[in-house]
Amino acid sequence: MEFLCLLFSLYLSMIITVYSQPTPPRGLSIDCGATVSSTFEGFQWVPDADYVIAGTPKAINMPDLIPTLSTVRSFPLSDKPHKFCYVVPVFRNGKYLVRTTYYYGGVNGNELPPVFDQIVDGTTWSVVNTTDDYIRGYSSYYEGVFLAKGKSMSVCIATNSYTDSDPFISALEFVILGDSVYNSTDFGKYGLSLVSRNSFGYEGSIIKYPDDPFNRFWEPFGDNNTIIQSTRNITVSGFWNLPPAKVFDTELVADKVEPLELQWPLLFLPNSNYYISLYFADNRDSSLGSSRVFNVTLNGVQYYHNLKVSPSGVAVFATRWPLSGITNITLTPASGSDVGPSINAGEIFDVLLLGGRTATRDVIALGRVRNSLQNPPLDWNGDPCLPSGYSWTGVTCSEGPRIRVITLNMSSMSLSGSLSDSVANLTALTDIWLGNNNLSGSIPDLSPLRRLKSLHLENNQLSGEIPQSLGNIGSLRELYVQNNNMTGQVPNSLITKPGLNLKFTPGNHFSFPPPASAK
């Protein structure tokens, strides 16, 4: 098994200009369920109506809630898994920190909040279980790092088998990260889901913007080890992950030349691969001439040998380190050391294998089909096919490396509007079932659908003629268009087509050519 550890040393090499208030990180902050914009802690929060098509805004009537927790968007619980997606414009190939925030507030009438899934594009991100935090009076947040592979990203709230009431969300944030941040991860294949991010020895409130340039949350962490606090002038620009300088103001340290042990994170980890980043800086005067040198092990496995820590700082990364259960970090003084080890901060992410995306041409085509309908299904947003089990209502998709839409079955869904010409761009379609709705307009040219076997458009309000081109689709075996308002002649190529089950009466206004033998 191959482990990759990257070591980056930090040297004081530049003068830092201190700003009274740094510029907020670039991105978008969405206040879910809100109807007006607001400003909070230096960030402009916008209402969510422009980014989601489903759900109901609800207010939480509790005193002293911060603005972003005082409203939620609640989504309907159904008897089958559904996902409801926010679709947000992004910069293609941009690397984004995505944060979701949840505070239940009893909006669904149940005593405890529901458990549900959250999804990014076509990848299941995590289960959302806010029960423990809510019982203690806290909100819950989840952070992930994902690459934008298109001009939009979707974050979806999805019901699962444990969901017992309407799922909800309080806030959604997208922050553009610097190129160097977490750049040892192949974001074309993987995403990162935050497990813990801590400032060791720190006992204050969460460290975030303006201390952190990307508004990442660094939570306090203390244990039975000695805590040292001081103010240091650390130049963090040399760290690829650009941690805030404030995390180096405290540390956990062994007060003797002996191993320092800590359990971190304080969670039982599922068996997976994890991205781990540990941060160190020596608090002693560099004029002493000696450095802290120690070995780092995780659960008894060597993580880094003879790590030399100077006052300018050092960070150690592992991009895919296997862990499960309880995790113990041990810092052991190297042979001949005259000072004990110390540690300032750490981050750990679950490394997520990305779930793929539906073929772009199908996503675009289905989006245009949705826009031509006046009342499309509420879950027609986000990726149409992925993750598995969360395809759009009425949509069936292929399996394998290239995901295509293969059937549309939306019979008897009270659909109105028209059928977009773009349905012909769904070239993997084998079946279209749209009968028993209120669709109007004409039947588009479907000749590009060379695999189409059945087309059910009966019992609508369609007008115009049956396209001649339907007779050229060799695979077509069923064509139902009865009970519409269609006119013209039924193409002879359909009437004489071998093996075709054709139904065009009653309910239309077709004229028929005289028999071929007539003069």
Side-chain angles (χ1 to χ4, degrees), residues 327-345:
T327 303
N328 292 296
I329 298 176
T330 304
L331 312 179
T332 304
S335 177
S337 293
D338 58 1
V339 63
S342 65
I343 185 170
N344 296 86

mmCIF file with all atom_site columns, all heavy atoms in Angstrom, residues 327-345:
data_model
loop_
_atom_site.group_PDB
_atom_site.id
_atom_site.type_symbol
_atom_site.label_atom_id
_atom_site.label_alt_id
_atom_site.label_comp_id
_atom_site.label_asym_id
_atom_site.label_entity_id
_atom_site.label_seq_id
_atom_site.pdbx_PDB_ins_code
_atom_site.Cartn_x
_atom_site.Cartn_y
_atom_site.Cartn_z
_atom_site.occupancy
_atom_site.B_iso_or_equiv
_atom_site.pdbx_formal_charge
_atom_site.auth_seq_id
_atom_site.auth_comp_id
_atom_site.auth_asym_id
_atom_site.auth_atom_id
_atom_site.pdbx_PDB_model_num
ATOM 1   N N   . THR A 1 327 ? -8.891 6.930  16.117 1.00 0.00 ? 327 THR A N   1
ATOM 2   C CA  . THR A 1 327 ? -7.583 7.324  15.588 1.00 0.00 ? 327 THR A CA  1
ATOM 3   C C   . THR A 1 327 ? -6.760 7.973  16.691 1.00 0.00 ? 327 THR A C   1
ATOM 4   O O   . THR A 1 327 ? -7.223 8.908  17.351 1.00 0.00 ? 327 THR A O   1
ATOM 5   C CB  . THR A 1 327 ? -7.740 8.312  14.423 1.00 0.00 ? 327 THR A CB  1
ATOM 6   O OG1 . THR A 1 327 ? -8.544 7.719  13.408 1.00 0.00 ? 327 THR A OG1 1
ATOM 7   C CG2 . THR A 1 327 ? -6.388 8.676  13.832 1.00 0.00 ? 327 THR A CG2 1
ATOM 8   N N   . ASN A 1 328 ? -5.550 7.467  16.886 1.00 0.00 ? 328 ASN A N   1
ATOM 9   C CA  . ASN A 1 328 ? -4.625 8.022  17.870 1.00 0.00 ? 328 ASN A CA  1
ATOM 10  C C   . ASN A 1 328 ? -3.371 8.536  17.172 1.00 0.00 ? 328 ASN A C   1
ATOM 11  O O   . ASN A 1 328 ? -2.762 7.822  16.364 1.00 0.00 ? 328 ASN A O   1
ATOM 12  C CB  . ASN A 1 328 ? -4.237 6.959  18.907 1.00 0.00 ? 328 ASN A CB  1
ATOM 13  C CG  . ASN A 1 328 ? -5.406 6.569  19.794 1.00 0.00 ? 328 ASN A CG  1
ATOM 14  O OD1 . ASN A 1 328 ? -5.925 7.374  20.554 1.00 0.00 ? 328 ASN A OD1 1
ATOM 15  N ND2 . ASN A 1 328 ? -5.833 5.311  19.688 1.00 0.00 ? 328 ASN A ND2 1
ATOM 16  N N   . ILE A 1 329 ? -3.012 9.759  17.485 1.00 0.00 ? 329 ILE A N   1
ATOM 17  C CA  . ILE A 1 329 ? -1.788 10.362 16.964 1.00 0.00 ? 329 ILE A CA  1
ATOM 18  C C   . ILE A 1 329 ? -0.755 10.354 18.077 1.00 0.00 ? 329 ILE A C   1
ATOM 19  O O   . ILE A 1 329 ? -1.032 10.777 19.211 1.00 0.00 ? 329 ILE A O   1
ATOM 20  C CB  . ILE A 1 329 ? -2.034 11.802 16.487 1.00 0.00 ? 329 ILE A CB  1
ATOM 21  C CG1 . ILE A 1 329 ? -3.046 11.814 15.343 1.00 0.00 ? 329 ILE A CG1 1
ATOM 22  C CG2 . ILE A 1 329 ? -0.733 12.466 16.055 1.00 0.00 ? 329 ILE A CG2 1
ATOM 23  C CD1 . ILE A 1 329 ? -3.407 13.205 14.872 1.00 0.00 ? 329 ILE A CD1 1
ATOM 24  N N   . THR A 1 330 ? 0.445  9.873  17.782 1.00 0.00 ? 330 THR A N   1
ATOM 25  C CA  . THR A 1 330 ? 1.543  9.859  18.753 1.00 0.00 ? 330 THR A CA  1
ATOM 26  C C   . THR A 1 330 ? 2.724  10.600 18.167 1.00 0.00 ? 330 THR A C   1
ATOM 27  O O   . THR A 1 330 ? 3.180  10.309 17.050 1.00 0.00 ? 330 THR A O   1
ATOM 28  C CB  . THR A 1 330 ? 1.954  8.413  19.095 1.00 0.00 ? 330 THR A CB  1
ATOM 29  O OG1 . THR A 1 330 ? 0.813  7.702  19.576 1.00 0.00 ? 330 THR A OG1 1
ATOM 30  C CG2 . THR A 1 330 ? 3.031  8.418  20.171 1.00 0.00 ? 330 THR A CG2 1
ATOM 31  N N   . LEU A 1 331 ? 3.209  11.593 18.916 1.00 0.00 ? 331 LEU A N   1
ATOM 32  C CA  . LEU A 1 331 ? 4.411  12.348 18.552 1.00 0.00 ? 331 LEU A CA  1
ATOM 33  C C   . LEU A 1 331 ? 5.514  11.935 19.516 1.00 0.00 ? 331 LEU A C   1
ATOM 34  O O   . LEU A 1 331 ? 5.420  12.201 20.721 1.00 0.00 ? 331 LEU A O   1
ATOM 35  C CB  . LEU A 1 331 ? 4.149  13.849 18.633 1.00 0.00 ? 331 LEU A CB  1
ATOM 36  C CG  . LEU A 1 331 ? 2.866  14.375 17.959 1.00 0.00 ? 331 LEU A CG  1
ATOM 37  C CD1 . LEU A 1 331 ? 2.744  15.883 18.159 1.00 0.00 ? 331 LEU A CD1 1
ATOM 38  C CD2 . LEU A 1 331 ? 2.870  14.035 16.475 1.00 0.00 ? 331 LEU A CD2 1
ATOM 39  N N   . THR A 1 332 ? 6.541  11.282 19.002 1.00 0.00 ? 332 THR A N   1
ATOM 40  C CA  . THR A 1 332 ? 7.597  10.721 19.840 1.00 0.00 ? 332 THR A CA  1
ATOM 41  C C   . THR A 1 332 ? 8.910  11.450 19.587 1.00 0.00 ? 332 THR A C   1
ATOM 42  O O   . THR A 1 332 ? 9.364  11.536 18.436 1.00 0.00 ? 332 THR A O   1
ATOM 43  C CB  . THR A 1 332 ? 7.790  9.224  19.537 1.00 0.00 ? 332 THR A CB  1
ATOM 44  O OG1 . THR A 1 332 ? 6.538  8.548  19.705 1.00 0.00 ? 332 THR A OG1 1
ATOM 45  C CG2 . THR A 1 332 ? 8.823  8.614  20.464 1.00 0.00 ? 332 THR A CG2 1
ATOM 46  N N   . PRO A 1 333 ? 9.550  12.002 20.642 1.00 0.00 ? 333 PRO A N   1
ATOM 47  C CA  . PRO A 1 333 ? 10.813 12.722 20.437 1.00 0.00 ? 333 PRO A CA  1
ATOM 48  C C   . PRO A 1 333 ? 11.846 11.834 19.752 1.00 0.00 ? 333 PRO A C   1
ATOM 49  O O   . PRO A 1 333 ? 11.976 10.641 20.053 1.00 0.00 ? 333 PRO A O   1
ATOM 50  C CB  . PRO A 1 333 ? 11.249 13.090 21.856 1.00 0.00 ? 333 PRO A CB  1
ATOM 51  C CG  . PRO A 1 333 ? 9.989  13.058 22.664 1.00 0.00 ? 333 PRO A CG  1
ATOM 52  C CD  . PRO A 1 333 ? 9.143  11.984 22.065 1.00 0.00 ? 333 PRO A CD  1
ATOM 53  N N   . ALA A 1 334 ? 12.555 12.424 18.814 1.00 0.00 ? 334 ALA A N   1
ATOM 54  C CA  . ALA A 1 334 ? 13.625 11.696 18.144 1.00 0.00 ? 334 ALA A CA  1
ATOM 55  C C   . ALA A 1 334 ? 14.773 11.463 19.110 1.00 0.00 ? 334 ALA A C   1
ATOM 56  O O   . ALA A 1 334 ? 14.915 12.156 20.141 1.00 0.00 ? 334 ALA A O   1
ATOM 57  C CB  . ALA A 1 334 ? 14.099 12.474 16.920 1.00 0.00 ? 334 ALA A CB  1
ATOM 58  N N   . SER A 1 335 ? 15.591 10.505 18.790 1.00 0.00 ? 335 SER A N   1
ATOM 59  C CA  . SER A 1 335 ? 16.745 10.189 19.637 1.00 0.00 ? 335 SER A CA  1
ATOM 60  C C   . SER A 1 335 ? 17.627 11.416 19.811 1.00 0.00 ? 335 SER A C   1
ATOM 61  O O   . SER A 1 335 ? 17.956 12.109 18.846 1.00 0.00 ? 335 SER A O   1
ATOM 62  C CB  . SER A 1 335 ? 17.537 9.041  18.993 1.00 0.00 ? 335 SER A CB  1
ATOM 63  O OG  . SER A 1 335 ? 18.686 8.754  19.755 1.00 0.00 ? 335 SER A OG  1
ATOM 64  N N   . GLY A 1 336 ? 17.974 11.709 21.048 1.00 0.00 ? 336 GLY A N   1
ATOM 65  C CA  . GLY A 1 336 ? 18.838 12.848 21.349 1.00 0.00 ? 336 GLY A CA  1
ATOM 66  C C   . GLY A 1 336 ? 18.116 14.156 21.525 1.00 0.00 ? 336 GLY A C   1
ATOM 67  O O   . GLY A 1 336 ? 18.755 15.185 21.783 1.00 0.00 ? 336 GLY A O   1
ATOM 68  N N   . SER A 1 337 ? 16.775 14.158 21.427 1.00 0.00 ? 337 SER A N   1
ATOM 69  C CA  . SER A 1 337 ? 16.025 15.405 21.580 1.00 0.00 ? 337 SER A CA  1
ATOM 70  C C   . SER A 1 337 ? 16.096 15.900 23.022 1.00 0.00 ? 337 SER A C   1
ATOM 71  O O   . SER A 1 337 ? 16.116 15.110 23.974 1.00 0.00 ? 337 SER A O   1
ATOM 72  C CB  . SER A 1 337 ? 14.563 15.205 21.187 1.00 0.00 ? 337 SER A CB  1
ATOM 73  O OG  . SER A 1 337 ? 14.436 14.947 19.819 1.00 0.00 ? 337 SER A OG  1
ATOM 74  N N   . ASP A 1 338 ? 16.127 17.220 23.178 1.00 0.00 ? 338 ASP A N   1
ATOM 75  C CA  . ASP A 1 338 ? 16.119 17.810 24.514 1.00 0.00 ? 338 ASP A CA  1
ATOM 76  C C   . ASP A 1 338 ? 14.846 18.598 24.784 1.00 0.00 ? 338 ASP A C   1
ATOM 77  O O   . ASP A 1 338 ? 14.753 19.329 25.771 1.00 0.00 ? 338 ASP A O   1
ATOM 78  C CB  . ASP A 1 338 ? 17.343 18.722 24.699 1.00 0.00 ? 338 ASP A CB  1
ATOM 79  C CG  . ASP A 1 338 ? 17.399 19.838 23.653 1.00 0.00 ? 338 ASP A CG  1
ATOM 80  O OD1 . ASP A 1 338 ? 16.479 19.909 22.799 1.00 0.00 ? 338 ASP A OD1 1
ATOM 81  O OD2 . ASP A 1 338 ? 18.364 20.630 23.692 1.00 0.00 ? 338 ASP A OD2 1
ATOM 82  N N   . VAL A 1 339 ? 13.849 18.444 23.900 1.00 0.00 ? 339 VAL A N   1
ATOM 83  C CA  . VAL A 1 339 ? 12.579 19.133 24.072 1.00 0.00 ? 339 VAL A CA  1
ATOM 84  C C   . VAL A 1 339 ? 11.470 18.227 23.546 1.00 0.00 ? 339 VAL A C   1
ATOM 85  O O   . VAL A 1 339 ? 11.667 17.458 22.599 1.00 0.00 ? 339 VAL A O   1
ATOM 86  C CB  . VAL A 1 339 ? 12.598 20.496 23.331 1.00 0.00 ? 339 VAL A CB  1
ATOM 87  C CG1 . VAL A 1 339 ? 12.764 20.310 21.830 1.00 0.00 ? 339 VAL A CG1 1
ATOM 88  C CG2 . VAL A 1 339 ? 11.340 21.296 23.649 1.00 0.00 ? 339 VAL A CG2 1
ATOM 89  N N   . GLY A 1 340 ? 10.301 18.302 24.175 1.00 0.00 ? 340 GLY A N   1
ATOM 90  C CA  . GLY A 1 340 ? 9.191  17.444 23.774 1.00 0.00 ? 340 GLY A CA  1
ATOM 91  C C   . GLY A 1 340 ? 8.491  17.941 22.524 1.00 0.00 ? 340 GLY A C   1
ATOM 92  O O   . GLY A 1 340 ? 8.687  19.076 22.078 1.00 0.00 ? 340 GLY A O   1
ATOM 93  N N   . PRO A 1 341 ? 7.648  17.106 21.914 1.00 0.00 ? 341 PRO A N   1
ATOM 94  C CA  . PRO A 1 341 ? 6.931  17.479 20.690 1.00 0.00 ? 341 PRO A CA  1
ATOM 95  C C   . PRO A 1 341 ? 5.745  18.392 20.967 1.00 0.00 ? 341 PRO A C   1
ATOM 96  O O   . PRO A 1 341 ? 5.279  18.513 22.106 1.00 0.00 ? 341 PRO A O   1
ATOM 97  C CB  . PRO A 1 341 ? 6.469  16.128 20.147 1.00 0.00 ? 341 PRO A CB  1
ATOM 98  C CG  . PRO A 1 341 ? 6.326  15.273 21.365 1.00 0.00 ? 341 PRO A CG  1
ATOM 99  C CD  . PRO A 1 341 ? 7.396  15.716 22.319 1.00 0.00 ? 341 PRO A CD  1
ATOM 100 N N   . SER A 1 342 ? 5.232  19.002 19.909 1.00 0.00 ? 342 SER A N   1
ATOM 101 C CA  . SER A 1 342 ? 4.053  19.870 20.006 1.00 0.00 ? 342 SER A CA  1
ATOM 102 C C   . SER A 1 342 ? 3.304  19.813 18.679 1.00 0.00 ? 342 SER A C   1
ATOM 103 O O   . SER A 1 342 ? 3.840  19.394 17.654 1.00 0.00 ? 342 SER A O   1
ATOM 104 C CB  . SER A 1 342 ? 4.456  21.321 20.320 1.00 0.00 ? 342 SER A CB  1
ATOM 105 O OG  . SER A 1 342 ? 5.199  21.876 19.244 1.00 0.00 ? 342 SER A OG  1
ATOM 106 N N   . ILE A 1 343 ? 2.035  20.254 18.720 1.00 0.00 ? 343 ILE A N   1
ATOM 107 C CA  . ILE A 1 343 ? 1.210  20.293 17.504 1.00 0.00 ? 343 ILE A CA  1
ATOM 108 C C   . ILE A 1 343 ? 0.235  21.450 17.613 1.00 0.00 ? 343 ILE A C   1
ATOM 109 O O   . ILE A 1 343 ? -0.291 21.737 18.687 1.00 0.00 ? 343 ILE A O   1
ATOM 110 C CB  . ILE A 1 343 ? 0.472  18.948 17.294 1.00 0.00 ? 343 ILE A CB  1
ATOM 111 C CG1 . ILE A 1 343 ? -0.288 18.935 15.966 1.00 0.00 ? 343 ILE A CG1 1
ATOM 112 C CG2 . ILE A 1 343 ? -0.472 18.646 18.461 1.00 0.00 ? 343 ILE A CG2 1
ATOM 113 C CD1 . ILE A 1 343 ? -0.839 17.565 15.585 1.00 0.00 ? 343 ILE A CD1 1
ATOM 114 N N   . ASN A 1 344 ? -0.003 22.142 16.483 1.00 0.00 ? 344 ASN A N   1
ATOM 115 C CA  . ASN A 1 344 ? -0.838 23.340 16.489 1.00 0.00 ? 344 ASN A CA  1
ATOM 116 C C   . ASN A 1 344 ? -2.224 23.151 15.900 1.00 0.00 ? 344 ASN A C   1
ATOM 117 O O   . ASN A 1 344 ? -3.198 23.718 16.411 1.00 0.00 ? 344 ASN A O   1
ATOM 118 C CB  . ASN A 1 344 ? -0.144 24.469 15.716 1.00 0.00 ? 344 ASN A CB  1
ATOM 119 C CG  . ASN A 1 344 ? 1.145  24.902 16.363 1.00 0.00 ? 344 ASN A CG  1
ATOM 120 O OD1 . ASN A 1 344 ? 2.190  24.314 16.104 1.00 0.00 ? 344 ASN A OD1 1
ATOM 121 N ND2 . ASN A 1 344 ? 1.087  25.915 17.220 1.00 0.00 ? 344 ASN A ND2 1
ATOM 122 N N   . ALA A 1 345 ? -2.343 22.412 14.800 1.00 0.00 ? 345 ALA A N   1
ATOM 123 C CA  . ALA A 1 345 ? -3.647 22.320 14.131 1.00 0.00 ? 345 ALA A CA  1
ATOM 124 C C   . ALA A 1 345 ? -3.680 21.095 13.233 1.00 0.00 ? 345 ALA A C   1
ATOM 125 O O   . ALA A 1 345 ? -2.642 20.499 12.921 1.00 0.00 ? 345 ALA A O   1
ATOM 126 C CB  . ALA A 1 345 ? -3.921 23.588 13.317 1.00 0.00 ? 345 ALA A CB  1
#
